Amino acid sequence: MGRSGLKAVSIGGGLGAVQIMQGMRRHTAELTGIIAVTDTGRSTGIVREFAQIPAPGDIRNALATLALDDDSLLTRVMQHRIAAPGNAQLDGMAFGNLFIAALTQMSDSFTTAIAQISRFLDVQARIYPVTEENTHICAELMDGTIVEQEFNVRQLDKAAIKRIFVQNPEATAYAPCLAALQEADLITIGPGSLFTTVIACLAFKEISQAIRDSRALKVYVCNTTTQPGQTDDYSLSDHVQQVVSYLGLGILDYVVLNSTPPSKDLLDLYARERVNVLLPTPDEIHKIKTMNVKPVLADVADTRSGKRALWQKQDTIRHNPELIANTLMGLVGERRGLKMMA
């Protein structure tokens, strides 16, 4: 299949948005990723502390995953985690985070560093941080408590999250992100950690406003599972409601919901870690429709890979890049067909 000139923008983190772009690059070369840069956990948090830069981790993963040769030495060294058992600061550090920090110091620009690595790796997309500011997200919890920084926002066994906001009210979105949204034909939001990745981008008011103003087809790709510390006890419609609360009613066109359950063994493995698989029901579909969003049920999850052991991170059922891209292209084709008939 030949690639179209479709301009697609994916909003999220280094896993979810990248899955979308991995699939979509078979269909178009006009890809942009708007990536959250407010993480504070693991090696990303250590680099942020000493280098005073936005979070490099999700950016690093996006660059390495979307490199033309994802098995080259430079690509592999970007993802390599340093083994330093006697050094708590360095043990498990992703080398690419240090590389981004070093290039940022040399150029005095986080976005210049990203652009340089994009050229080194021949990255098949434009990768933009949602902001150039070294800022954090905060959450107001349902009990009125305010917690600051991503690591604390996603902590377990706290009150439910009411809303997310940017710590520095003067922090602005990176201008090329806004231009990409304005010019987009397709905007995808998610999948990914609802509050600390997806809404961490939407919390920048210029981003949400640019999405509202764009004429693009707007699709929320909903998570396949709940996430402890963020969306405990959430339903699919709860996820959609949160996204709608930042964008406003009538902005999202579709939400893509995975309709294929994993095996019972995999369900049980996730359940032991308080991760619940989300599948659409007639009641959930009705609730989503009342928000003026069209649910699209499709077999889009990777239910065959099994559970992965991740570095200090909770695993979930990811989307299959090819399947989700095919679903998105179907929606794009449907819209174009309707426009031709109008």
Side-chain angles (χ1 to χ4, degrees), residues 245-266:
S245 73
Y246 289 83
L247 296 180
L249 285 169
I251 303 303
L252 275 181
D253 295 299
Y254 295 99
V255 56
V256 177
L257 309 172
N258 173 56
S259 59
T260 305
S263 68
K264 185 179 184 304
D265 288 345
L266 197 55

Side-chain angles (χ1 to χ4, degrees), residues 13 19 57 66 70 89 97 114-115 182 185 222 239 250 279 292 326:
Q19 288 168 340
L66 295 166
D70 60 7
Q89 295 280 309
N97 291 351
I114 295 167
Q182 182 180 5
D185 300 304
C222 194
H239 283 77
L279 292 167
N292 200 21
N326 289 342

Side-chain angles (χ1 to χ4, degrees), residues 91-322:
D91 194 33
M93 172 70 68
F95 177 79
N97 291 351
L98 296 175
F99 192 26
I100 292 171
L103 286 175
T104 300
Q105 290 179 348
M106 291 171 67
S107 64
D108 199 30
S109 169
F110 185 63
T111 51
T112 296
I114 295 167
Q116 288 171 331
I117 295 173
S118 290
R119 289 194 295 272
F120 293 158
L121 298 177
D122 198 4
V123 173
Q124 303 295 288
R126 286 175 290 275
I127 302 299
Y128 296 146
V130 69
T131 183
E132 293 181 277
E133 309 281 346
N134 181 25
T135 191
H136 296 279
I137 54 167
C138 306
E140 179 187 356
L141 307 183
M142 288 297 189
D143 64 3
T145 304
I146 301 292
V147 290
E148 299 187 353
Q149 300 195 9
E150 178 263 352
F151 183 78
N152 298 313
V153 169
R154 63 179 170 82
Q155 282 285 54
L156 304 177
D157 303 318
K158 63 180 184 309
I161 296 169
K162 183 177 181 181
R163 67 182 180 101
I164 294 290
F165 59 97
V166 180
Q167 186 181 57
N168 177 5
E170 296 180 2
T172 57
Y174 182 44
C177 296
L178 308 181
L181 291 168
Q182 182 180 5
E183 297 167 5
D185 300 304
L186 170 68
I187 296 171
T188 60
I189 301 166
S193 300
L194 180 62
F195 289 104
T196 59
T197 294
V198 174
I199 292 174
C201 290
L202 302 183
F204 286 88
K205 292 181 173 57
E206 305 99 324
I207 295 291
S208 291
Q209 188 60 51
I211 296 170
R212 284 191 285 271
D213 293 342
S214 176
R215 295 183 179 181
L217 183 71
K218 296 147 193 172
V219 184
Y220 172 44
V221 182
C222 194
N223 291 352
T224 59
T225 71
T226 59
Q227 187 172 12
Q230 294 199 50
T231 54
D232 302 275
D233 302 321
Y234 262 46
S235 64
L236 290 167
S237 61
D238 291 330
H239 283 77
V240 178
Q241 176 59 53
Q242 281 292 340
V243 174
V244 167
S245 73
Y246 289 83
L247 296 180
L249 285 169
I251 303 303
L252 275 181
D253 295 299
Y254 295 99
V255 56
V256 177
L257 309 172
N258 173 56
S259 59
T260 305
S263 68
K264 185 179 184 304
D265 288 345
L266 197 55
L267 279 169
D268 291 343
L269 276 175
Y270 282 109
R272 286 174 205 161
E273 296 185 3
R274 298 162 55 181
V275 173
N276 300 316
V277 173
L278 298 169
L279 292 167
T281 64
D283 183 54
E284 283 295 286
I285 292 168
H286 173 73
K287 287 179 180 177
I288 291 168
K289 286 180 177 177
T290 64
M291 300 177 215
N292 200 21
V293 181
K294 296 176 185 175
V296 177
L297 279 60
D299 175 11
V300 290
D302 176 7
T303 56
R304 298 178 182 176
S305 293
K307 197 170 179 305
R308 290 156 286 244
L310 303 179
W311 176 264
Q312 298 181 355
K313 195 169 186 178
Q314 180 81 53
D315 185 35
T316 186
I317 297 173
R318 299 182 189 179
H319 287 74
N320 177 295
E322 184 176 351

